[in-house]
Amino acid sequence: MKYSSIIGMVVTIIILTGPSFAQEQARLGDLVIERPWARASIGTSRPAAAYVTISNEGTESDTLLAVRTPLSGKAEVHTMSNDNGVMRMGPAGPVEIPAGGEISLAPGGLHIMMLKLQAPLIKGESIEITLEFKRAGEITVTAPIYGPGAMQPE
C-alpha cells in the first residue's frame, strides 16, 4: 500500500470519528470551561453526575456559586471524601477557582450531582448545564452523555 493511501485512510478515519473526540470549550470572561461531560443515569430514581474543567486565566479568583440543568429538579456541586475508609459525598458549597489556576470536576472528587431527575440521561445524547459564577456571571455548556460507568470522556 502506498504511503499516500495510508495517509488518506488516516485522514478519513479522523474526519469520520472526529465528533466522538470533540470536546467543547467555552469562554466566559477570564474563565475557560473545557470538556463538559456526563454519565448516563440508571432511570430517574437515582442521581446522575457530570464533570467539567474550569480554568481561570485572570488575575482575580472567581467562585462557582451554583449549577443547574433542565433535566434535574436539583443540581449542586458535590465533594467526595474518605472518612476512615468510608466514602462520603455531600454538597461542596461555593467552589473557588483561583487566579491563574483551575479546578477539575472529575470522578472520585468534585462533581456535579443531578438529583430529582425529570428524565433519564441517555448515552449518546447530551445535556445542557448552566454554571453560575460570582464574578463572570452565567454560561450554559452542552455536555455529551457517555455510559453509566465512564471514568472520562469516551
Side-chain angles (χ1 to χ4, degrees):
M1 185 178 278
K2 291 184 177 181
Y3 183 71
S4 61
S5 296
I6 293 172
I7 290 180
M9 287 175 28
V10 169
V11 169
T12 301
I13 290 169
I14 290 171
I15 290 169
L16 292 175
T17 61
S20 66
F21 294 116
Q23 297 296 318
E24 181 180 334
Q25 181 184 56
R27 189 175 275 284
L28 178 65
D30 292 328
L31 302 178
V32 179
I33 294 87
E34 297 179 287
R35 297 179 302 280
W37 65 282
R39 285 183 177 155
S41 65
I42 301 170
T44 58
S45 62
R46 300 200 45 206
Y51 311 96
V52 65
T53 298
I54 305 166
S55 301
N56 184 347
E57 296 179 347
T59 57
E60 296 183 54
S61 67
D62 205 337
T63 305
L64 177 59
L65 299 173
V67 294
R68 42 182 203 282
T69 69
L71 289 182
S72 70
K74 182 178 182 179
E76 54 194 18
V77 176
H78 273 204
T79 186
M80 291 184 71
S81 62
N82 187 329
D83 184 13
N84 292 321
V86 177
M87 293 304 292
R88 301 202 185 277
M89 180 173 39
V95 178
E96 182 179 355
I97 303 99
E102 88 175 18
I103 63 163
S104 182
L105 281 67
L110 288 172
H111 58 280
I112 297 168
M113 182 60 71
M114 296 174 279
L115 307 160
K116 302 178 183 175
L117 294 178
Q118 309 299 309
L121 276 67
I122 299 170
K123 181 180 179 178
E125 294 185 0
S126 61
I127 183 172
E128 288 187 344
I129 301 171
T130 300
L131 308 168
E132 180 185 339
F133 299 93
K134 183 176 183 178
R135 295 178 49 75
E138 285 187 7
I139 188 167
T140 300
V141 296
T142 301
I145 301 170
Y146 299 109
M151 292 303 288
Q152 62 186 7
E154 299 170 345

